[in-house]
Amino acid sequence: ILNVEQSPQSLHVQEGDSTNFTCSFPSSNFYALHWYRWETAKSPEALFVMTLNGDEKKKGRISATLNTKEGYSYLYIKGSQPEDSATYLCAFISSGSARQLTFGSGTQLTVLP
Amino acid sequence: DVKVTQSSRYLVKRTGEKVFLECVQDMDHENMFWYRQDPGLGLRLIYFSYDVKMKEKGDIPEGYSVSREKKERFSLILESASTNQTSMYLCASKLRRGGEQFFGPGTRLTVL
């Protein structure tokens, strides 16, 4: 079983604060790294699919970076809003089994108004 | 829009019962997955299927089986439900290797 770790486990920030969290994954046999957002009572939705070392992706106030050589990805949220409250999951895909995702345990973000 | 539906949002069963969880996707995806989600453990893969009648074990297949008779439908079966199978179950599908997964709304199963 591959080891994918996310930190912190949970986070409370004030509205307007910027925040970031980390996903660590194996640095060998890299194929792709996904980020998902999972809001309460909804289905997880993909934020980013990242495949190349050095990738930076952005969607509105949310961005992500990828370092495959050292095995980590950061997710940044600029100017957090209450609607950003969700659990953020990363998922690693190994080149050995590119159909299968291994998920981290997630970072639960709460943005306080 | 890709749509993945699951047969029930909430389900309560008794220990020893046979339980079927159904998942249907409408976008002709080859790959379908069943996960369970427990607090602090993230999403753990139970089984997946990359084609009709094909199935592969995930990380935690014990106590579960699956069926994929049609491309759009992937069923998770608990042959004899136990209390440690109380969990949130999520189905997902995707089109290709490495591509994003599309999730259903989840079924919260309670086994008494």
Side-chain angles (χ1 to χ4, degrees):
Chain A
I1 296 179
L2 300 170
N3 195 27
V4 179
E5 294 186 353
Q6 290 187 247
S7 62
Q9 193 168 28
S10 66
L11 193 56
H12 289 71
V13 301
Q14 290 295 135
E15 183 175 355
D17 287 351
S18 293
T19 187
N20 66 85
F21 9 100
T22 306
C23 173
S24 302
F25 52 85
S27 57
S28 57
N29 301 317
F30 177 86
Y31 188 88
L33 192 284
H34 294 188
W35 281 99
Y36 291 83
R37 175 168 58 198
W38 193 0
E39 296 178 67
T40 304
K42 294 187 178 180
S43 310
E45 289 185 346
L47 284 171
F48 303 114
V49 174
M50 309 182 81
T51 56
L52 296 174
N53 184 44
D55 252 358
E56 284 191 37
K57 299 230 171 175
K58 190 173 180 182
K59 188 181 284 189
R61 293 179 292 97
I62 304 176
S63 60
T65 61
L66 179 67
N67 183 324
T68 61
K69 294 187 188 307
E70 296 182 40
Y72 64 85
S73 175
Y74 293 136
L75 189 81
Y76 300 91
I77 303 178
K78 186 177 178 182
S80 304
Q81 300 296 309
E83 58 264 31
D84 296 328
S85 296
T87 296
Y88 291 83
L89 297 166
C90 69
F92 171 76
I93 304 175
S94 165
S95 56
S97 176
R99 291 188 176 94
Q100 189 171 342
L101 276 65
T102 301
F103 283 86
S105 56
T107 293
Q108 187 172 12
L109 174 68
T110 304
V111 182
L112 304 168
Chain B
D1 274 355
V2 174
K3 195 162 185 184
V4 181
T5 57
Q6 295 182 227
S7 48
S8 307
R9 290 301 300 269
Y10 299 94
L11 207 52
V12 180
K13 295 291 182 181
R14 297 212 173 270
T15 302
E17 279 193 77
K18 189 169 186 175
V19 181
F20 292 87
L21 302 182
E22 305 284 340
C23 176
V24 177
Q25 50 93 6
D26 66 359
M27 283 302 289
D28 205 34
H29 286 174
E30 287 91 6
N31 302 284
M32 296 187 75
F33 305 80
W34 275 106
Y35 296 92
R36 64 178 281 176
Q37 194 266 337
D38 300 289
L41 294 178
L43 291 172
R44 292 183 292 166
L45 182 64
I46 304 170
Y47 267 97
F48 66 102
S49 169
Y50 55 88
D51 202 351
V52 175
K53 296 193 187 295
M54 305 301 287
K55 59 186 178 186
E56 286 200 26
K57 293 180 180 179
D59 297 323
I60 51 164
E62 296 78 19
Y64 303 95
S65 62
V66 290
S67 171
R68 189 144 180 226
E69 297 296 319
K70 293 184 178 181
K71 192 175 187 180
E72 67 271 18
R73 188 179 297 269
F74 191 36
S75 303
L76 180 70
I77 303 156
L78 288 66
E79 292 289 342
S80 178
S82 63
T83 54
N84 63 12
Q85 292 178 310
T86 292
S87 187
M88 169 71 87
Y89 290 87
L90 282 158
C91 175
S93 72
K94 68 174 181 175
L95 180 60
R96 64 184 189 283
R97 296 179 79 210
E100 68 177 277
Q101 291 196 347
F102 295 87
F103 287 87
T107 296
R108 186 164 291 282
L109 172 67
T110 302
V111 182
L112 302 175

